[in-house]
Amino acid sequence: MAKVLMKGNEAIGAAAIKAGCKYFFGYPITPQSELPEYMSRELPKVGGIFLQAESEVAAINMVYGAAGAGERVMTSSSSPGISLKQEGITYIAGAELPCLIVNIMRGGPGLGSIQPSQTDYFQATRGGGNGDYRLVVLAPADVQELVDLIIEGFDIADQYRNPVMILGDGMIGQMMEPVEFTTPKQRELSEKDWATVGTGGKRNPNIINSLYIDPESLEKHNIKLQEKYKIIKENEVKVESYNIEDADVVIAAYGTTARIAKTAISKLEKEGYKVGLIRPISLWPYPYDEFNKISDRCKGILTVEMNSGQMVDDVKIAVDGRFPVSFYGRTGGMVPTPDAIIERVKEIYGGEK
Amino acid sequence: MINDKRIRIITGHYGSGKTEFSVNYAVKLASMGKKVALADLDVVNLYFRSRERAETLKELGIKVIGSSINTPAVDVPAISPEVATPLQDESYEAILDVGGDPAGARALGRYVEYFKEGNYDMFFVLNANRPETQSAVKAIEYIRKIEDVSRTKVTGIINNTHLLKSTTVEDVLKGQELALEVSNKINIPIKYISTLESVAENLPNNLEGEIFPIKLFMREEWML
């Protein structure tokens, strides 16, 4: 199929439908409202259901229900709306159900602004809800990657029976870019024999639940979850690196910010600077090991984010004191420019190439 | 451009390139020494609106009218009362950049009293690479919906078929074929073929419509 031009938010909808998503429950919020609008128009055409819930809290609990019935289901929102969904998300994680949650981030805290940000990194990777749970968090940097990660995200969710979050900043949702829908590599997925679809009088009822009154059972459940997370960490790390074995400075950035960093790097190369890039695509599991490949001659790591410094904590964990780690960020919906990044890189160089 | 009517209304699906065309058109008119006002009626999109380029345009002597609420990123569908100025004051060359899709075109209905047959042009910007306007049937359905909600008539088609910075001559020619089909079916002329300067240079010169080379004002250097 030839390339078409789509807005990120529309492309999410098209990709989800392509992945077999039949149910969408959500509540509109800028800058992702084109997505529910798209689903309301397109899902009925494929025999699916779009439902605008009375609130985000209701929407995520509808997702809980549909996921429990074994259906491919998605919800989406932007930062404050995702905050409202946190209770449902931890229930879904606790009950081990697959679903896709899309967060097209806007400026915060609170109601914030409608412009792009990356301020929900902590919330997404550390768990905004209660309890020891993890989401698989995927952060696309362009609309094509967004499409590919949505399609693969449904498979990851099913494979591990775990919610997957697509974390994009407002720019990813609003930007128009050429995309192509190719048939993705499909994973071998087992039957959803745990789904609550009726016993037909032939077996005991399946139960979907996150409540364990008996502490021993709950500890057992937690151990099982942690074992699952360990396997995800081994299998599902996604990262793109550029020139890190030979760089004097390495930039760590994800999403839109990584693209701006790439423009900065190619401009710096023309001036003779050697700058590498580590772009985490999975934010959880985080590509800690990738930082071990950085050469010893590296003078420092610059983390660039559209927030006041969140992923920089993971960069420090990854680097473990080997290199100095600095941070440059813009907040409130302001987008860093390549030139501002270039200036910070030159500061790390300290005047010598 | 000289023959276009004093009031130019620019409509189309979001992603068609209305705003880039509107901004380039305004800049061209201003460079010809005209008194130009560009009114941004976009209440649908919240990013990439012409008001974001107000400073650049002001330096070129163009009057930019956006929201009545003085912040470029506001999430409130407010339109400035000043939009009426270039509609009433006939010394202005007026360009109305209307929001994407029929929902966005609704804002235009409020000004219908100013649009008399023969004193305005309404251009439909067409991008054959947008899934919603890839066929003549779909594009015409779009045109009709926009006409219905805005209570105005499309008077010209702009072939602005693009894939952003990777647009090729083939994209434009594919769009031209679609634009011709739409044009023949609803009897509205192709007024412009709007495309990147580097692509425009390589287009054949026997195409219907005036070739209108544009610069990208709305895309940052790091964008595709």
Side-chain angles (χ1 to χ4, degrees), chain B residues 6 8 26 29-38 60-63 85-86 89-95:
Chain B
R6 188 182 71 81
R8 290 90 162 169
L29 271 181
S31 75
M32 293 159 74
K34 304 283 182 189
K35 182 176 170 188
V36 182
L38 172 62
L60 298 169
I62 297 164
K63 182 182 178 68
T85 305
D89 180 347
E90 294 187 4
S91 68
Y92 276 106
E93 300 292 326
I95 303 163

Side-chain angles (χ1 to χ4, degrees), chain A residues 63-119:
Chain A
V63 170
Y64 188 13
E71 295 293 337
R72 284 207 158 171
V73 56
M74 180 165 86
T75 187
S76 72
S77 192
S78 179
S79 309
I82 294 290
S83 297
L84 279 164
K85 291 187 206 262
Q86 291 303 328
E87 180 196 54
I89 293 172
T90 176
Y91 277 47
I92 292 169
E96 290 195 87
L97 295 177
C99 68
L100 212 73
I101 301 156
V102 178
N103 182 4
I104 300 297
M105 293 178 280
R106 54 191 257 174
L111 210 43
S113 82
I114 61 166
Q115 295 295 315
S117 91
Q118 298 179 313
T119 48

Side-chain angles (χ1 to χ4, degrees), chain A residues 105-184:
Chain A
M105 293 178 280
R106 54 191 257 174
L111 210 43
S113 82
I114 61 166
Q115 295 295 315
S117 91
Q118 298 179 313
T119 48
D120 306 343
Y121 182 92
F122 283 155
Q123 186 193 53
T125 62
R126 293 337 192 229
N130 61 294
D132 265 333
Y133 74 94
R134 293 289 190 175
L135 304 177
V136 175
V137 182
L138 305 173
D142 57 50
V143 180
Q144 183 64 58
E145 191 174 53
L146 173 64
V147 163
D148 297 341
L149 289 177
I150 291 275
I151 294 174
E152 194 182 358
F154 276 104
D155 273 9
I156 295 174
D158 278 349
Q159 183 175 338
Y160 299 100
R161 290 183 58 185
N162 205 71
V164 171
M165 176 173 277
I166 303 291
L167 194 67
D169 56 80
M171 203 55 96
I172 297 284
Q174 291 294 320
M175 199 158 34
M176 286 275 175
E177 282 188 341
V179 288
E180 200 169 6
F181 291 85
T182 50
T183 312

Side-chain angles (χ1 to χ4, degrees), chain A residues 3-7 10 30-31 34 37-38 41 114-116 170-171 174-178 256 259-260 263 267 335 338, chain B residues 13-15 44-48 72-75 101 127 129-132 134 162-164 166 174 219 221-224:
Chain A
K3 283 190 176 173
V4 291
L5 192 67
M6 288 186 101
K7 198 174 207 175
E10 296 174 304
T30 308
E34 294 88 355
E37 188 185 2
Y38 183 92
R41 193 175 71 228
I114 61 166
Q115 295 295 315
M171 203 55 96
Q174 291 294 320
M175 199 158 34
M176 286 275 175
E177 282 188 341
T256 291
R259 290 179 60 173
I260 304 168
T263 301
K267 284 173 126 181
V335 180
Chain B
H13 192 43
Y14 62 76
V44 171
N45 288 302
L46 297 148
Y47 288 30
F48 309 115
V74 75
D75 193 5
D101 74 36
N127 180 359
N129 283 328
R130 284 286 289 151
E132 285 77 2
Q134 268 181 327
H162 71 94
L163 273 179
L164 301 162
S166 55
K174 177 177 78 177
R219 305 291 290 186
E221 61 178 328
W222 54 267
M223 293 181 183
L224 290 178

